[in-house]
Amino acid sequence: MKYIKSKKHKRYRFPKDCEEGLPYTEVIEDGKRIKVCENFEKYFHYGNYFSINFNSSIIHSKFLRSQFILNNIPRFLNLPEYYNESHEIKVEIDEKIDEIIIGGGISGFSALENCKNCILISPNFDDEIFLDPLCKDCSLKDKIKSIIKNNSNKIVDGRFIGRFNEGLVFRLKDKYLVIRKPAKVILASGSRFLPPVFPGNDLPGIISRRMYLKFLNLFRNVVVIGSTDDAIRTALISKSKIILKKGTENFSKKYLELAENEGIDILKVRELKASRKGKKIVLYHDYGKEIVDAIVFAIVRQPRIEIANNLRIEYNYYYKLHIYLPIHNLNGKVNDNYYVTGGMRGICNYELSFLSGKIIFNEAIDEFYTELKETYLYHYYSEGEEESSSISPYFFGNGYVCECEDIKLKDVEEQYKKGYRTVEEIKRTLGISTGYCQGKICSFLVGDYLNNNKLITFRSPLYSMW
């Protein structure tokens, strides 16, 4: 049985989310990539979490650039020592497709219903609404199923790989699809949760809300970390406590009342620390400790900005929610070619996400505006609002900010003291965003810590091409 050990500190690692392209979602066996989440119990390991103290700057020294060391590195990492003989994958160039929806979430299917000539391309069609027990009798879920059924001929299973000179490239099951110059692109590729940072935050069993919903029956006793309605929604399912960074509350009145009615405790803390005790995680905080099966983080939804940036869409940092957003107007329009919907514009509410796919086609506009005003995201569109610093909801202590390269918050702090103040500079001095996930987690965390308006440049390919 093979377990994944981290590159430098040799700690056992496990995915925090099943999204393809995130850290430790794959293991290498006999030169083949095996998806961990498809073999969940086989690869989940409650081992001893021994850590080697290794200065991350050493990995970038000339000493480790010798040919002998480079040739032998795969023996000690989660990399193949060789590749099995692969079959040729054909490339199809399509100049007829004119309108594309990238992403298969709620807003993507909502847009598909109104878009006459669109095709929708997505790697998965299991949006959270289908996993959420609170939506067992949700009429919106049935509506989306109906849209999928009625538009099956316009839905394609595939992943956006990136923008190339030849056009937009998508990896389908048995080929690469190249779309030359589509007139309209709707980004419904959603958002993800970033993990909190504290000592022990890399332990197996610290997972995202989405992963928790996917394996609900395996983690019964949990604690939730988060400062928005997503945390309360998760706690309502697990009947657990919520822990958040003091001063970062962004709950709506509606969900605070639900939490109070259901007896959900909300603890506001300054510091966290985790350790393992057998099959349990012990989480220490300002008021004591929690012994749980898993720690579920649902802090703030971060749009998958790497996709928008790869398409040359500008973005900025929204300090109130500590997220990066594509620059767009209230209707989701970026320019004449691009639109953003749902999680890609920071929306976390199911109904609001659905409406965001409608307003692109001038449908349900008043209803969308009314719903939006009930969220903290509404302030992003307010005119004349002055920016100011606020407490980050992510940082509770010196934990890992980059699990691919074993880089801790303290390493970033040391570089900051030396005068390196941008994410790109930290990337060049420490090596963050150079690992397997190519910055899909760490660049956002470091950007938030530095209070930077820009991250790294997300270049093609965004995901592995084989």
Side-chain angles (χ1 to χ4, degrees):
M1 188 176 296
K2 180 180 175 66
Y3 305 121
I4 311 174
K5 286 189 178 181
S6 67
K7 186 178 290 186
K8 289 176 285 185
H9 293 178
K10 300 304 174 187
R11 288 170 66 86
Y12 287 112
R13 292 276 168 79
F14 193 74
K16 286 179 162 55
D17 195 296
C18 290
E19 179 191 337
E20 180 185 354
L22 294 191
Y24 304 102
T25 55
E26 295 180 342
V27 294
I28 305 299
E29 287 188 349
D30 299 324
K32 294 181 179 179
R33 298 178 186 272
I34 309 295
K35 295 185 184 299
V36 173
C37 286
E38 293 178 4
N39 301 268
F40 190 90
E41 294 183 356
K42 177 181 178 181
Y43 294 107
F44 191 82
H45 179 52
Y46 302 103
N48 294 317
Y49 299 98
F50 174 69
S51 179
I52 300 173
N53 292 322
F54 190 96
N55 189 326
S56 59
S57 62
I58 294 176
I59 198 71
H60 300 283
S61 67
K62 291 182 179 179
F63 170 73
L64 291 183
R65 298 299 176 184
S66 74
Q67 193 63 43
F68 172 79
I69 291 177
L70 290 175
N71 286 342
N72 283 277
I73 279 178
R75 297 173 182 268
F76 307 101
L77 306 178
N78 187 43
L79 295 172
E81 296 179 36
Y82 66 91
Y83 286 96
N84 289 339
E85 184 177 348
S86 59
H87 62 282
E88 183 178 346
I89 302 178
K90 65 180 180 179
V91 177
E92 178 183 311
I93 299 175
D94 196 316
E95 301 194 32
K96 296 179 181 178
I97 297 174
D98 201 38
E99 298 179 329
I100 313 170
I101 301 170
I102 301 178
I106 292 173
S107 66
F109 290 121
S110 173
L112 184 63
E113 186 179 38
N114 286 79
C115 191
K116 303 301 181 184
N117 302 310
C118 287
I119 66 163
L120 183 149
I121 304 178
S122 177
N124 53 64
F125 307 99
D126 59 341
D127 192 274
E128 273 183 36
I129 195 170
F130 297 119
L131 304 173
D132 194 339
L134 298 182
C135 276
K136 186 177 181 181
D137 300 315
C138 182
S139 60
L140 181 57
K141 183 168 65 175
D142 294 332
K143 173 68 174 174
I144 296 168
K145 287 181 178 179
S146 175
I147 293 172
I148 294 173
K149 182 179 179 180
N150 295 333
N151 295 274
S152 58
N153 62 322
K154 296 158 63 176
I155 298 172
V156 179
D157 186 349
R159 178 175 288 285
F160 176 62
I161 294 297
R163 176 174 177 157
F164 296 82
N165 290 337
E166 294 79 6
L168 305 189
V169 178
F170 297 83
R171 186 181 74 217
L172 309 188
K173 187 175 182 180
D174 57 352
K175 65 183 177 182
Y176 288 106
L177 175 64
V178 182
I179 300 177
R180 289 291 196 192
K181 293 181 179 180
K184 179 182 284 187
V185 177
I186 299 171
L187 290 184
S189 35
S191 56
R192 66 172 65 93
F193 291 105
L194 305 182
V197 178
F198 53 82
N201 72 323
D202 65 323
L203 295 175
I206 300 178
I207 57 177
S208 71
R209 164 183 159 85
R210 182 173 176 81
M211 191 166 181
Y212 171 64
L213 293 178
K214 192 175 182 69
F215 299 105
L216 198 59
N217 295 330
L218 298 180
F219 300 106
R220 297 186 178 279
N221 178 28
V222 307
V223 66
V224 179
I225 298 179
S227 54
T228 62
D229 290 348
D230 279 309
I232 294 180
R233 278 200 289 264
T234 309
L236 289 171
I237 297 168
S238 60
K239 306 299 180 184
S240 60
K241 291 180 181 177
I242 296 173
I243 294 177
L244 69 147
K245 183 78 172 184
K246 189 174 183 179
T248 65
E249 303 92 322
N250 278 314
F251 303 118
S252 68
K253 182 179 178 181
K254 171 186 173 182
Y255 275 93
L256 277 175
E257 290 175 353
L258 278 172
E260 184 177 354
N261 292 338
E262 294 296 323
I264 303 296
D265 291 332
I266 300 177
L267 303 181
K268 303 171 186 177
V269 306
R270 298 183 185 278
E271 295 183 347
L272 291 174
K273 181 175 67 175
S275 64
R276 266 225 172 261
K277 187 176 181 180
K279 293 186 176 182
K280 298 289 184 178
I281 294 180
V282 184
L283 181 64
Y284 302 90
H285 52 73
D286 301 22
Y287 305 103
K289 65 181 181 182
E290 313 291 333
I291 301 176
V292 293
D293 298 327
I295 297 170
V296 182
F297 56 87
I299 301 176
V300 180
R301 286 183 185 266
Q302 170 58 58
R304 293 187 173 98
I305 206 72
E306 71 276 4
I307 296 174
N309 181 235
N310 181 266
L311 292 168
R312 300 177 187 173
I313 296 173
E314 293 295 322
Y315 61 90
N316 55 23
Y317 176 65
Y318 180 40
Y319 70 96
K320 271 199 169 185
L321 288 179
H322 293 261
I323 60 176
Y324 291 85
L325 286 167
I327 296 174
H328 61 281
N329 67 15
L330 196 56
N331 286 5
K333 184 176 181 178
V334 175
N335 53 43
D336 289 338
N337 299 102
Y338 291 103
Y339 298 81
V340 292
T341 66
M344 184 55 92
R345 56 183 291 185
I347 294 172
C348 63
N349 178 288
Y350 295 149
E351 289 75 16
L352 189 59
S353 184
F354 187 81
L355 293 171
S356 73
K358 297 294 180 191
I359 61 170
I360 292 175
F361 304 95
N362 297 315
E363 298 285 338
I365 294 175
D366 292 340
E367 192 177 352
F368 174 80
Y369 293 163
T370 301
E371 290 282 339
L372 185 67
K373 287 179 181 178
E374 299 300 316
T375 71
Y376 274 87
L377 191 61
Y378 177 74
H379 300 291
Y380 174 75
Y381 304 97
S382 300
E383 295 182 1
E385 187 178 17
E386 294 183 3
E387 291 190 10
S388 61
S389 60
S390 61
I391 299 170
S392 172
Y394 293 112
F395 302 105
F396 298 85
N398 181 36
Y400 286 93
V401 293
C402 178
E403 292 189 23
C404 294
E405 299 296 316
D406 280 337
I407 295 167
K408 291 188 173 183
L409 181 61
K410 186 177 180 181
D411 300 322
V412 177
E413 290 172 341
E414 288 174 356
Q415 296 303 311
Y416 183 85
K417 291 175 183 177
K418 292 177 182 178
Y420 300 107
R421 303 297 170 85
T422 69
V423 181
E424 186 64 37
E425 288 173 341
I426 299 298
K427 174 183 176 180
R428 293 172 184 267
T429 55
L430 284 180
I432 68 156
S433 305
T434 61
Y436 180 80
C437 83
Q438 294 294 289
K440 294 181 180 70
I441 297 292
C442 57
S443 65
F444 295 96
L445 288 173
V446 173
D448 184 51
Y449 173 76
L450 298 174
N451 200 27
N452 277 180
N453 200 44
K454 296 299 176 186
L455 304 174
I456 62 172
T457 299
F458 295 99
R459 296 180 175 87
S460 303
L462 294 173
Y463 300 89
S464 63
M465 297 185 70
W466 59 84

